[in-house]
Amino acid sequence: MSGFILLSRALLERLFLYLCMSASYGKKEYSYSRGGSKVTVRKGEFLRSLRKIGEDCAYTGNNKLITWSPSRVSAMLQSLEDDGRIEVVSNTSGLGT
């Protein structure tokens, strides 16, 4: 793989803060199930699709709504993971989109 991607530090910080504020903080564990798949979300974890993260982090610029694409969110998450700030655990069991 070759090439590069230019990401604004401000956008990475915005995403990191969003993830921190959205992470589960209670003592309880929450279980989600759909179609026979079950995922348990523990303290410090967060369950969300790339598409929904992009929608949640939408902002207005030049009088228009800017929404991050799933591929952009994925690249930004990879950058945060490479920095050691987060750990991404992919779910391929069919839960989520």
Side-chain angles (χ1 to χ4, degrees), residues 44-65:
E45 296 179 339
F46 180 55
L47 176 66
R48 199 73 160 164
S49 69
L50 296 175
R51 180 176 48 85
K52 291 302 285 180
I53 291 173
E55 290 173 4
D56 291 347
C57 292
Y59 62 96
T60 304
N62 294 332
N63 290 329
K64 68 177 186 175
L65 184 64

Side-chain angles (χ1 to χ4, degrees), residues 8-71:
S8 167
R9 182 177 301 271
L11 293 180
L12 283 177
E13 292 302 320
R14 179 185 189 107
L15 177 60
F16 183 69
L17 290 174
Y18 165 78
L19 295 173
C20 288
M21 296 301 292
S22 300
S24 176
Y25 58 88
K27 293 183 179 181
K28 294 183 180 180
E29 294 182 355
Y30 300 94
S31 295
Y32 300 93
S33 60
R34 186 174 98 189
S37 299
K38 183 178 178 182
V39 175
T40 301
V41 179
R42 296 176 186 87
K43 186 176 181 178
E45 296 179 339
F46 180 55
L47 176 66
R48 199 73 160 164
S49 69
L50 296 175
R51 180 176 48 85
K52 291 302 285 180
I53 291 173
E55 290 173 4
D56 291 347
C57 292
Y59 62 96
T60 304
N62 294 332
N63 290 329
K64 68 177 186 175
L65 184 64
I66 299 171
T67 305
W68 298 337
S69 68
S71 61

